[in-house]
Amino acid sequence: KAGVTQTPRYLIKTRGQQVTLSCSPISGHRSVSWYQQTPGQGLQFLFEYFSETQRNKGNFPGRFSGRQFSNSRSEMNVSTLELGDSALYLCASSFPGENTDTQYFGPGTRLTVL
Amino acid sequence: AQSVAQPEDQVNVAEGNPLTVKCTYSVSGNPYLFWYVQYPNRGLQFLLKYITGDNLVKGSYGFEAEFNKSQTSFHLKKPSALVSDSALYFCAVRDNGGFKTIFGAGTRLFVKA
């Protein structure tokens, strides 16, 4: 089975721009979560989706948004980019989406904001 | 609120020696606990988890973890470290009502040959 894929792998943007990151979960997985990883803050939870519904959201400003499609693929969007948004963005999927399920992570998208 | 603490930023161990990476947690209700490992420029890889049952959980690559409810700890262990075990290790707790995973700050493990 193919693992979690994330595109693009690397992205360079300038302040004020917006960006969309994509995540394709493992086939059959219905839950997708997003995390931001930075050296200073570690891994921070952004949001989790299940069957196209956001089940939980972390403490991030409204500039961060996401969605999930009927095929379980997910996108996250960051508008009005700031320098502090530079980070590794990780996506994880699980089946079927229960709290005890193991999450499987993609390789991440490295976003650099200049 | 759920939280996870990894008290050591870094652990150094010689190859062949046993290793322990510490984790303590705070949750309401039953804890769902996980360990993940991250190699450079990679995503996180699942090592093991505790949901219920035996307090000693065995996982991938020879790792195991011991759940201790009274001490609210879930330490990761391996009897004999390998240089290839050098990586960043994360302990995590699943919010058992809110579909949210909270990660510790991570512990960098260095295994010296």
Side-chain angles (χ1 to χ4, degrees):
Chain A
K1 242 182 200 182
V4 177
T5 58
Q6 292 187 245
T7 56
R9 290 293 311 278
Y10 301 92
L11 207 50
I12 299 176
K13 293 285 187 180
T14 57
R15 280 183 298 174
Q17 288 187 309
Q18 81 166 26
V19 66
T20 299
L21 311 181
S22 181
C23 172
S24 292
I26 292 171
S27 178
H29 285 197
R30 297 169 63 190
S31 170
V32 172
S33 299
W34 288 90
Y35 300 88
Q36 181 194 65
Q37 185 178 18
T38 58
Q41 297 296 317
L43 269 161
Q44 301 292 316
F45 171 77
L46 279 157
F47 21 67
E48 174 162 342
Y49 289 89
F50 179 79
S51 293
E52 302 179 67
T53 300
Q54 186 180 90
R55 293 198 294 195
N56 206 339
K57 188 177 189 306
N59 296 325
F60 279 82
R63 301 185 296 107
F64 290 81
S65 63
R67 58 178 175 169
Q68 187 181 32
F69 302 95
S70 58
N71 61 359
S72 294
R73 190 177 70 85
S74 178
E75 289 181 347
M76 67 163 281
N77 184 276
V78 188
S79 62
T80 318
L81 284 166
E82 300 177 359
L83 295 179
D85 297 333
S86 294
L88 181 67
Y89 290 87
L90 294 166
C91 163
S93 73
S94 63
F95 173 84
E98 299 301 322
N99 255 331
T100 57
D101 294 335
T102 297
Q103 292 185 301
Y104 294 90
F105 284 78
T109 294
R110 172 79 60 187
L111 172 64
T112 301
V113 182
L114 302 176
Chain B
Q2 277 81 352
S3 65
V4 177
Q6 294 180 244
E8 301 154 317
D9 291 335
Q10 185 172 309
V11 169
N12 298 309
V13 65
E15 188 174 35
N17 283 0
L19 70 86
T20 298
V21 183
K22 296 179 180 177
C23 171
T24 58
Y25 65 89
S26 173
V27 300
S28 55
N30 294 322
Y32 303 144
L33 298 161
F34 300 79
W35 275 101
Y36 291 88
V37 60
Q38 186 177 35
Y39 297 99
N41 300 314
R42 304 275 294 276
L44 276 66
Q45 293 180 35
F46 169 74
L47 280 177
L48 51 80
K49 68 180 179 182
Y50 173 84
I51 303 301
T52 186
D54 195 348
N55 289 343
L56 185 63
V57 180
K58 293 189 183 298
S60 306
Y61 313 119
F63 284 94
E64 58 189 30
E66 187 168 11
F67 171 68
N68 188 317
K69 188 173 183 178
S70 63
Q71 297 185 6
T72 61
S73 66
F74 189 56
H75 300 332
L76 181 70
K77 300 182 180 184
K78 187 174 183 181
S80 179
L82 299 172
V83 172
S84 58
D85 292 330
S86 298
L88 186 57
Y89 290 80
F90 290 96
C91 181
V93 61
R94 187 72 169 166
D95 179 329
N96 52 30
F99 299 106
K100 172 181 176 178
T101 301
I102 298 162
F103 285 84
T107 298
R108 192 163 295 279
L109 173 67
F110 286 102
V111 181
K112 187 176 178 181

